[in-house]
Amino acid sequence: MTHEELFFQITHKKSYLCVGLDTDIRKIPEHLLNEEDPVFAFNKAIIDATSDYCVAYKPNLAFYEAQGVAGWESLRKTLAYIPKTHFTIADAKRGDIGNTSGLYARTFFDPAASGLDFDSVTVAPYMGSDSVLPFLDYSNKWVILLALTSNTGGSDFQRLVVDDKPLYEHVLTTSQQWAGPDRMMYVVGATQADALSHIRTLVPNHFLLVPGVGAQGGSLEEVSRYGMNARCGLLVNSSRGILYAGNGQDFAQKARVEAHAIQQEMEKYLELYLK
Amino acid sequence: MTHEELFFQITHKKSYLCVGLDTDIRKIPEHLLNEEDPVFAFNKAIIDATSDYCVAYKPNLAFYEAQGVAGWESLRKTLAYIPKTHFTIADAKRGDIGNTSGLYARTFFDPAASGLDFDSVTVAPYMGSDSVLPFLDYSNKWVILLALTSNTGGSDFQRLVVDDKPLYEHVLTTSQQWAGPDRMMYVVGATQADALSHIRTLVPNHFLLVPGVGAQGGSLEEVSRYGMNARCGLLVNSSRGILYAGNGQDFAQKARVEAHAIQQEMEKYLELYLK
């Protein structure tokens, strides 16, 4: 999916919501456990219930891998079920030396090899350029690079100061030599709203993938105020708040209500802050 | 496996060789492609041929994931086949916020969930403490943290200077607050031999996992001279040099010859440099 197409979906849906498919088999409603593939059954219902109100889905790989072979199969079916109108993110935080990153790129971008055909993958920057570039060999596919994350440990290294600037700023500036805003996005945690307006000056045209709204305590209003650009430039993720809005037979309906509420709030912010 | 047991294996085998199972289905001998699971058939033959001369095996996850569900199954069978006397490393370069890292820990350390029961997993440090700690909740399991990697992009961020010290030194010192040398190792590329003696002063008792000897150009002699400590403290990895030593019916025999040659060299260095 191109930058253009993604922005079209955002204006069409009046939403920049990404639904994080962090599907934990220990948390899904009990009645689904009788299904042949409970994780897929849950995801299918969530996708049906929320696709009107979101523009992206982000399966978190850890939740699938923790189920081994069966989890990998649930992931494949889930991805195939997501409508083509929605941007898909493999939240995998990968990154290794060049030839290995090339294989991770095959994993997420080459359905003939792996059965998966994501639009994008999250990548950790620690290993530098040649750990990122192999993902960019696939046309129309995106790298979403970790910049400033929403967890407490994010400060351990990301905010260390190098030449008067925190490390994450070096990640933002150096990585712009590898790809432009048509192929790269950045992860910036919603709990870091104080840093968002400054980050916008460094990457004015890039999309930011913003986790941390909801369960992790970030404010959607602040993220939208400080982070939005002329093409929206935001994908704000919610996982647990939507997935586990209900725990009974009506879990999908409750997820829909929650996703709709976020979309309504986003519609308001698009009117206020789209520059 | 404990630090003690690993050192016992090293002295018993007179080897600190780790065989990297970077098994690429596009590179294995043609006659294996008729097997039901060619990747597992290849790994099985390599393990049979090399287990006398190495103390560890390190499947590189990317190579298995690139095959999707089938690759994950090959990985499970390969891990189950590795003798219990050998230390096993999931070379996965994972790392995410706490609850997600907890699921990655389940993936590699909880066979009841995923079918996998590795001794250790490689972890990227960018997301800090709470991305690493969940792996340490499993007793007798290890985190192998990226410090200074062997690839060219490794310099992009790892050598940036923070308070007169390169970033990787901060990773080495900060992470020692999370676990001691009985639970944590570090990845230090063999192409960084100049930095090894200094790194030894910072982490005198830790094991270092050293990739980059062979195809990537690192010198085993230098790594051993600068990196060895009183309990060896080194696991030196070779992947392609062993796996693809031959490409015919006798590929495993050729792999054995190559592994034996490295073991012989290591035996010499253990006599010279074990302090």
Side-chain angles (χ1 to χ4, degrees):
Chain A
M1 185 178 285
T2 65
H3 195 285
E4 191 86 13
E5 287 161 349
L6 179 56
F7 183 55
F8 171 80
Q9 289 298 331
I10 289 170
T11 50
H12 177 65
K13 295 264 186 69
K14 298 182 172 53
S15 169
Y16 41 100
L17 174 62
C18 173
V19 174
L21 297 170
D22 300 14
T23 308
D24 190 334
I25 193 151
R26 299 166 300 183
K27 284 192 191 168
I28 66 179
E30 224 178 291
H31 71 275
L32 292 178
L33 297 176
N34 301 322
E35 298 278 338
E36 193 194 328
D37 183 340
V39 168
F40 175 60
F42 179 84
N43 286 349
K44 192 167 169 292
I46 292 286
I47 293 164
D48 287 342
T50 59
S51 65
D52 287 344
Y53 303 125
C54 70
V55 294
Y57 287 101
K58 179 173 76 62
N60 180 330
L61 268 281
F63 289 76
Y64 301 87
E65 295 182 10
Q67 303 291 311
V69 172
W72 210 253
E73 181 61 18
S74 304
L75 176 68
R76 191 191 60 72
K77 287 191 280 186
T78 299
L79 184 65
Y81 191 75
I82 296 171
K84 292 285 166 256
T85 44
H86 289 66
F87 188 75
T88 54
I89 301 167
D91 195 2
K93 312 284 200 298
R94 297 300 197 266
D96 206 313
I97 63 170
N99 76 320
T100 298
S101 269
L103 279 147
Y104 281 127
R106 286 186 84 195
T107 303
F108 298 111
F109 296 157
D110 182 353
S114 67
L116 302 178
D117 190 15
F118 280 94
D119 289 310
S120 65
V121 60
T122 57
V123 177
Y126 192 71
M127 293 184 72
S129 59
D130 58 307
S131 69
V132 175
L133 292 170
F135 292 100
L136 298 165
D137 287 343
Y138 290 76
S139 57
N140 281 325
K141 302 292 186 180
W142 296 71
V143 164
I144 307 182
L145 199 65
L146 301 186
L148 183 58
T149 61
S150 56
N151 60 321
T152 50
S155 306
D156 284 334
F157 305 118
Q158 296 164 23
R159 287 176 182 270
L160 290 181
V161 174
V162 182
D163 294 336
D164 298 327
K165 289 176 193 164
L167 176 62
Y168 73 83
E169 286 199 31
H170 291 268
V171 170
L172 289 167
T173 48
T174 300
S175 61
Q176 287 184 62
Q177 299 162 25
W178 309 336
D182 56 327
R183 300 294 304 284
M184 198 175 286
M185 303 185 183
Y186 295 100
V187 174
V188 178
T191 52
Q192 314 294 346
D194 59 314
L196 255 179
S197 27
H198 180 56
I199 287 172
R200 258 299 164 228
T201 66
L202 300 171
V203 288
N205 301 315
H206 289 70
F207 265 90
L208 306 178
L209 172 63
V210 186
V213 164
Q216 293 178 57
S219 152
L220 178 57
E221 195 278 330
E222 285 186 15
V223 165
S224 306
R225 178 151 41 108
Y226 297 123
M228 203 175 282
N229 68 15
R231 313 293 294 272
C232 183
L234 292 173
L235 290 174
V236 175
N237 184 76
S238 176
S239 300
R240 286 168 271 183
I242 292 173
L243 300 190
Y244 310 120
N247 193 33
Q249 295 281 347
D250 63 345
F251 73 97
Q253 181 55 33
K254 291 221 166 117
R256 182 175 173 85
V257 169
E258 180 65 22
H260 190 199
I262 299 175
Q263 180 275 323
Q264 295 280 65
E265 208 181 331
M266 288 179 166
E267 182 168 345
K268 197 170 65 185
Y269 300 143
L270 280 167
E271 282 164 23
L272 281 171
Y273 302 126
L274 198 69
K275 284 150 196 117
Chain B
M1 186 178 286
T2 65
H3 195 284
E4 191 87 10
E5 288 161 349
L6 180 55
F7 183 55
F8 172 81
Q9 290 298 330
I10 289 171
T11 50
H12 177 65
K13 295 264 186 70
K14 299 182 171 56
S15 169
Y16 40 101
L17 174 61
C18 173
V19 175
L21 297 171
D22 299 15
T23 307
D24 190 334
I25 193 152
R26 299 167 299 183
K27 284 192 192 167
I28 66 179
E30 224 177 293
H31 71 276
L32 292 177
L33 298 177
N34 300 322
E35 299 278 340
E36 192 193 328
D37 183 340
V39 167
F40 175 60
F42 178 84
N43 287 349
K44 193 167 168 294
I46 291 286
I47 292 165
D48 287 341
T50 59
S51 65
D52 288 343
Y53 302 126
C54 70
V55 294
Y57 287 101
K58 180 174 76 61
N60 180 329
L61 269 281
F63 288 76
Y64 301 87
E65 295 182 9
Q67 303 289 313
V69 173
W72 209 254
E73 181 61 17
S74 304
L75 175 68
R76 192 190 60 72
K77 287 191 279 185
T78 298
L79 184 64
Y81 191 74
I82 295 172
K84 290 287 166 255
T85 44
H86 289 65
F87 187 75
T88 53
I89 302 166
D91 195 2
K93 312 284 201 297
R94 297 299 197 266
D96 205 313
I97 64 171
N99 76 321
T100 298
S101 270
L103 280 147
Y104 281 128
R106 287 186 83 195
T107 303
F108 298 112
F109 296 156
D110 182 353
S114 67
L116 302 178
D117 190 13
F118 279 95
D119 289 310
S120 65
V121 60
T122 58
V123 176
Y126 192 71
M127 293 182 72
S129 59
D130 59 303
S131 69
V132 174
L133 292 170
F135 293 99
L136 297 164
D137 287 343
Y138 289 77
S139 59
N140 281 324
K141 302 292 187 179
W142 297 71
V143 164
I144 308 182
L145 200 65
L146 299 186
L148 183 57
T149 61
S150 56
N151 61 320
T152 50
S155 306
D156 285 333
F157 305 118
Q158 296 164 24
R159 288 178 182 269
L160 290 181
V161 175
V162 183
D163 294 337
D164 298 326
K165 289 175 191 163
L167 176 62
Y168 74 83
E169 287 198 29
H170 292 268
V171 170
L172 289 168
T173 48
T174 300
S175 61
Q176 287 184 63
Q177 299 162 24
W178 308 337
D182 55 329
R183 301 294 304 282
M184 198 176 285
M185 305 186 182
Y186 296 100
V187 175
V188 178
T191 52
Q192 314 293 346
D194 60 314
L196 256 179
S197 27
H198 180 55
I199 287 172
R200 259 300 164 225
T201 66
L202 300 172
V203 287
N205 302 315
H206 288 71
F207 265 90
L208 306 178
L209 171 63
V210 186
V213 164
Q216 292 179 57
S219 152
L220 177 56
E221 195 279 327
E222 284 185 16
V223 165
S224 307
R225 178 151 41 107
Y226 297 122
M228 203 174 283
N229 68 14
R231 313 295 293 272
C232 183
L234 292 173
L235 290 173
V236 175
N237 185 74
S238 176
S239 301
R240 285 168 271 182
I242 291 173
L243 300 190
Y244 310 119
N247 195 33
Q249 294 281 348
D250 64 346
F251 73 97
Q253 181 55 35
K254 291 221 165 118
R256 183 175 173 84
V257 169
E258 180 65 22
H260 190 199
I262 298 175
Q263 180 275 323
Q264 295 280 68
E265 207 182 332
M266 287 179 167
E267 184 169 344
K268 197 171 66 185
Y269 300 143
L270 280 166
E271 284 166 22
L272 282 171
Y273 303 125
L274 198 69
K275 286 154 195 112

